[in-house]
Amino acid sequence: MSQPTARALSGRMPLQMIGGWEVGLLGLMALLYIGGALLNPSFFGTSDALQALLRDSARFGVMAVGMTFVIANKDLDLSVGSTLGVIGVTFSFVFDPAHYDMGVMPAIAICLVFGTAIGLLNGVLVTFLKVPAFIATLTMLLIGRGVVLGMTGGRSILYPIKAREHEWFFQLGEFNAWGFNNQIIIVLIVVGIGAWVLAKTRWGYETLATGGNEQAAQYAGIPTNWVRIRAYVISSLCATLAGLMTVAQNKGITSQAGVLTELIVIAAVIIGGASILGGRGRVIGSYFGALLAALLHKVLREGVPIVREVEVNGEILQVNATSTLPAGAIPAFIGALLVFAVLIEPYVIRRKLLQRIFARLTGRAPPRVMETGGVAIEGAQTKGTTVGDRAVTARGFGKFLARRDALAIILMVVLWFIGFLLRPDYWAGLPNTFAILLNYTELAILTLGLTYVIACGDIDLSVGAVLALAGSTAAYALKVMGLDPASAMLLGVMAGTAAGMINAMFTVGLGLPAFIATLGMFYMARGVAAWIVAGQQLTGWAEPFNLIGRKVGDILAYFNVPPVGGQVGDILGVVSVQTIWMAVIAIIAGVVLAYTVFGQQVYATGGNRRAADYAGINTNRVRFITMVLSGFCAAMAGVINVAYFRSFNPVAGQFRELDAIASVIIGGGSIFGGFGTIIGALAGAAVITLVRALLQLNIITGTGESFSLPQHWVNTFIGGILIIAVLIDIWVRQAGVLGSLRERIFGRRKAARKVDND
């Protein structure tokens, strides 16, 4: 190689840190910025717009650095948004004069400890305890969100006066002498360090090797479990820094801090060129992806300047205004952006689409495409368990205990008696029974469809949002469109079922991982639901629609049927139409899953998809149907929700996906597929419903005082229950740890007796 050539190469930026993809992202951002300037020149045409973009994207960029390490490891961290919120609230509680009133340094130290602990917990759950990454971090997201709401009480914590005494820290959120925000400097430093570590150090080599082929990395002597834990700690510490940047800028924290952040960060990393399959990623590309996501968000949020005509005292006046997207549009866009970002990797990067287009335009030979498979992540699937083995050999009551759904049934009975012991004067009464049945019915309907999905080896994180979508559609049809109840019900069910079909097309047709496709739908459906009703609560329509959410006794009264006395009348006063409907659907779903060919195909697909394909089962068809069924069940729950409350609230179904997944797992379903019964899922739903009822119970002490758990903390407990249920599934049902321990103990005793006898 000649000396000039060597000198030229040595002066170039290493390709491991930046490449053509990042250059393309810069060009795309330039075009978008120009488009924003044309649409809204009063904002994007000024230098303040660029400053605001760099400042607002700084926290996303910092978190994208940590997320790059996680995704390059073939993992996922959905907890970064709630970690940001937890750190912000922790700092505020320690620093705020109204709480612990400590200094900045103790607050930062405590935040660093908490951030490290969250990362370690995520890493240990995913590596040593074998919990799927999306389940572990999704649960941490919801637990963290519950902690934030519980500690803040849904309010903001602000301390602008005390912040003046610590300018050295809070100046990090302000402009400096050079005229730009200090957070821009922070993100550039973090990106620079992260890019160098990932591209030029052993840590980066181990990360990319682990994500590319974990088994080969283990053969090469790389401690892959430690590498994955390290990535989660880095991700959590980056979220910790983002939380500190938030409080430095805002001089406080809000209860909504970090909401939607995880989706923006994941989309930024994928847009930046990382592969959801692991083994590839560049920190600079991830930062550019964060800039692009923030730019798109800002273009949508700022709107377009318009001129409105307003009549005042008979005169027409022209008033400058801004046309913005309705409530819910931005969450829907963020969800769609996530799905689009993940599709870039298999259909653009892996197929070398841009290089092929360039080759065709220039008349060159197209580049060789080595591999064009889908993006589906093949998870560990069950091939039989010790629980199933014991169920075959057990006798009598032991046969019941060997069932996978026995735990849920026993817990259901125990929890009911606990409630009766705590409040015997209230628990078994008709009003409480009716309330529990109503809450149970909605959750039970959701679990019916989700049981099929999980048994098939997939997951649906969107059921709560689809419930809201169906409810908003039905409410809009009744209130705004003035349709009759039957037509409104049909539209609501069709909307939810369509969402299920979209999930199926993304998952089965385009090969997206089910958790990515349904997570995107979670935000899209939730956003569209709020968009339809303009973020407002709708109420006030004809009573016949509401009858499907009423008690049987209320329906008889509506049609002027004389009331029925005695025990029958008491039962009619408790049982509602929706409970009867749930029972009918549950019987049909249970028979189909347990006694039909399709049900066995569901189990076979979830147990071992490749073997099911070899057996002639159309696994894609089976998976497609289960996804659509899940959307259909969520739609029914949404329509019934509107009828029961006689109104629609955009927050309907919030956190219901967590309840539904926990119900199926507690009821004997396996997060890896191949197992699940309708009876078990219904029992699991009863467990979750009773736990919520107990946590909300107003308990009277011996002194006559009463207390109840603040409702903001309920979801934290439910998240913990989900993690425990998944761990029981993995280590007790699948691995048979308790059985192995029992056999080891009793085996030693038998051996000792044999020695004594000899």
Side-chain angles (χ1 to χ4, degrees):
M1 182 180 292
S2 64
Q3 185 175 357
T5 305
R7 187 182 301 112
L9 288 176
S10 64
R12 293 174 57 188
M13 183 69 69
L15 291 180
Q16 295 92 333
M17 297 181 68
I18 192 170
W21 185 259
E22 286 78 5
V23 175
L25 288 176
L26 284 175
L28 179 58
M29 282 189 286
L31 291 175
L32 279 173
Y33 199 90
I34 293 172
L38 293 175
L39 291 174
N40 192 349
S42 61
F43 178 77
F44 287 98
T46 65
S47 59
D48 293 339
L50 181 60
Q51 286 268 16
L53 172 64
L54 294 174
R55 180 199 64 209
D56 294 345
S57 64
R59 293 187 289 273
F60 297 143
V62 168
M63 287 189 286
V65 173
M67 187 68 73
T68 303
F69 283 83
V70 174
I71 291 180
N73 261 337
K74 201 178 179 179
D75 285 320
L76 197 69
D77 189 356
L78 297 173
S79 67
V80 290
S82 63
T83 300
L84 182 153
V86 168
I87 294 304
V89 170
T90 300
F91 180 94
S92 299
F93 256 70
V94 175
F95 181 77
D96 183 30
H99 294 92
Y100 292 101
D101 195 19
M102 298 173 67
V104 168
M105 292 306 297
I108 293 176
I110 294 173
C111 288
L112 290 175
V113 171
F114 278 20
T116 304
I118 293 171
L120 285 172
L121 181 57
N122 281 334
V124 170
L125 285 172
V126 173
T127 55
F128 293 106
L129 297 180
K130 308 300 181 185
V131 179
F134 73 93
I135 285 290
T137 57
L138 174 66
T139 306
M140 291 300 295
L141 181 155
L142 294 169
I143 291 175
R145 184 57 51 201
V147 169
V148 170
L149 291 175
M151 293 179 68
T152 62
R155 298 180 296 272
S156 299
I157 302 176
L158 303 175
Y159 30 83
I161 297 177
K162 186 178 179 181
R164 298 172 190 165
E165 303 172 6
H166 304 269
E167 290 188 2
W168 68 269
F169 174 76
F170 290 95
Q171 189 64 30
L172 296 177
E174 303 293 341
F175 285 84
N176 54 37
W178 293 286
F180 56 89
N181 196 284
N182 288 313
Q183 299 206 7
I184 301 173
I185 300 176
I186 296 174
V187 69
L188 292 178
I189 293 173
V190 173
V191 168
I193 295 173
W196 179 77
V197 170
L198 187 60
K200 296 298 179 183
T201 69
R202 183 176 180 83
W203 278 21
Y205 163 77
E206 291 175 341
T207 297
L208 297 174
T210 300
N213 191 322
E214 185 174 0
Q215 190 172 6
Q218 290 172 347
Y219 290 154
I222 296 175
T224 55
N225 281 344
W226 160 241
V227 171
R228 296 171 69 191
I229 292 174
R230 183 175 64 202
Y232 276 111
V233 172
I234 292 173
S235 177
S236 185
L237 287 176
C238 286
T240 299
L241 177 57
L244 295 175
M245 292 166 65
T246 301
V247 296
Q249 178 173 319
N250 299 331
K251 313 297 188 296
I253 199 72
T254 70
S255 61
Q256 298 300 309
V259 174
L260 285 180
T261 303
E262 57 281 338
L263 272 194
I264 297 175
V265 173
I266 294 171
V269 174
I270 303 300
I271 290 173
S275 171
I276 198 71
L277 289 174
R280 184 173 66 243
R282 286 197 288 247
V283 169
I284 294 177
S286 298
Y287 175 56
F288 286 172
L291 284 173
L292 179 60
L295 178 58
L296 289 169
H297 187 276
K298 193 166 288 292
V299 169
L300 292 174
R301 189 181 62 189
E302 292 298 329
V304 180
I306 60 173
V307 177
R308 296 185 183 274
E309 292 186 349
V310 181
E311 183 176 352
V312 179
N313 297 327
E315 296 185 9
I316 303 297
L317 301 178
Q318 291 187 339
V319 180
N320 292 328
T322 301
S323 176
T324 59
L325 291 174
I330 291 179
F333 167 77
I334 296 299
L337 178 64
L338 173 64
V339 174
F340 171 76
V342 177
L343 287 174
I344 288 176
E345 197 272 332
Y347 293 101
V348 177
I349 297 177
R350 201 184 307 169
R351 296 173 188 262
K352 300 182 179 180
L353 181 62
L354 298 181
Q355 295 93 320
R356 290 164 64 190
I357 293 174
F358 180 76
R360 176 168 293 186
L361 292 176
T362 57
R364 300 179 181 179
R368 187 178 180 183
V369 179
M370 300 298 295
E371 185 261 333
T372 60
V375 297
I377 296 178
E378 196 74 30
Q381 292 184 306
T382 54
K383 306 296 188 296
T385 65
T386 55
V387 173
D389 297 337
R390 289 197 299 272
V392 174
T393 59
R395 294 291 182 270
F397 188 67
K399 195 171 185 66
F400 168 75
L401 294 178
R403 290 168 54 106
R404 294 177 62 91
D405 52 13
L407 175 64
I409 296 173
I410 294 172
L411 280 176
M412 176 181 66
V413 176
V414 170
L415 288 172
W416 192 91
F417 277 105
I418 289 175
F420 183 76
L421 291 174
L422 290 174
R423 286 292 305 274
D425 60 321
Y426 167 75
W427 187 257
L430 288 180
N432 182 59
T433 303
F434 176 62
I436 290 176
L437 272 177
L438 286 176
N439 291 326
Y440 170 72
T441 299
E442 179 179 289
L443 178 58
I445 293 176
L446 290 178
T447 62
L448 295 179
L450 195 60
T451 300
Y452 279 78
V453 172
I454 291 178
C456 206
D458 288 316
I459 195 73
D460 188 353
L461 304 176
S462 66
V463 288
V466 173
L467 180 154
L469 175 63
S472 67
T473 303
Y476 185 85
L478 287 166
K479 181 69 175 179
V480 181
M481 300 175 65
L483 297 183
D484 60 277
S487 299
M489 292 180 201
L490 180 61
L491 279 180
V493 172
M494 287 176 61
T497 306
M501 292 184 68
I502 294 173
N503 281 337
M505 286 188 289
F506 280 138
T507 303
V508 180
L510 297 178
L512 279 178
F515 71 88
I516 288 291
T518 57
L519 183 64
M521 179 56 69
F522 169 86
Y523 286 97
M524 286 189 284
R526 180 68 63 184
V528 172
W531 192 339
I532 290 174
V533 299
Q536 303 297 316
Q537 182 171 337
L538 291 185
T539 188
W541 44 72
E543 184 63 20
F545 178 86
N546 300 326
L547 293 180
I548 61 174
R550 307 267 72 78
K551 294 176 285 188
V552 175
D554 293 339
I555 296 175
L556 295 178
Y558 179 82
F559 289 104
N560 298 319
V561 177
V564 180
Q567 291 184 347
V568 175
D570 293 340
I571 294 174
L572 295 179
V574 173
V575 178
S576 64
V577 175
Q578 61 194 69
T579 304
I580 298 173
W581 178 245
M582 180 273 297
V584 172
I585 299 299
I587 292 172
I588 296 173
V591 170
V592 170
L593 187 59
Y595 299 106
T596 68
V597 174
F598 178 75
Q600 300 310 305
Q601 290 176 342
V602 169
Y603 288 131
T605 300
N608 192 318
R609 192 179 305 164
R610 182 174 298 178
D613 285 328
Y614 289 154
I617 297 175
N618 188 344
T619 56
N620 285 340
R621 172 179 167 272
V622 173
R623 296 174 63 210
F624 193 97
I625 293 174
T626 58
M627 280 289 183
V628 174
L629 177 62
S630 180
F632 174 72
C633 290
M636 287 193 298
V639 172
I640 290 173
N641 178 280
V642 171
Y644 169 66
F645 288 105
R646 290 188 172 94
S647 64
F648 171 75
N649 193 316
V651 300
Q654 197 169 41
F655 300 121
R656 275 310 206 184
E657 49 282 327
L658 180 66
D659 290 352
I661 294 171
S663 299
V664 177
I665 303 303
I666 291 172
S670 172
I671 201 65
F672 301 115
F675 294 97
T677 64
I678 295 300
I679 293 177
L682 293 177
V687 169
I688 295 298
T689 304
L690 290 171
V691 167
R692 282 191 174 275
L694 287 171
L695 293 175
Q696 296 170 4
L697 189 63
N698 192 18
I699 300 174
I700 300 176
T701 64
T703 60
E705 298 180 353
S706 63
F707 71 92
S708 61
L709 184 74
Q711 294 308 297
H712 292 305
W713 292 98
V714 172
N715 290 314
T716 302
F717 283 92
I718 299 298
I721 291 173
L722 175 56
I723 281 291
I724 294 172
V726 172
L727 290 174
I728 290 174
D729 173 50
I730 295 172
W731 292 102
V732 178
R733 292 172 179 154
Q734 305 285 350
V737 170
L738 295 181
S740 300
L741 182 63
R742 184 175 63 250
E743 291 174 3
R744 181 175 297 180
I745 294 173
F746 286 106
R748 289 178 179 176
R749 290 181 179 177
K750 289 180 181 179
R753 291 196 201 100
K754 186 175 181 181
V755 171
D756 293 338
N757 293 333
D758 293 341

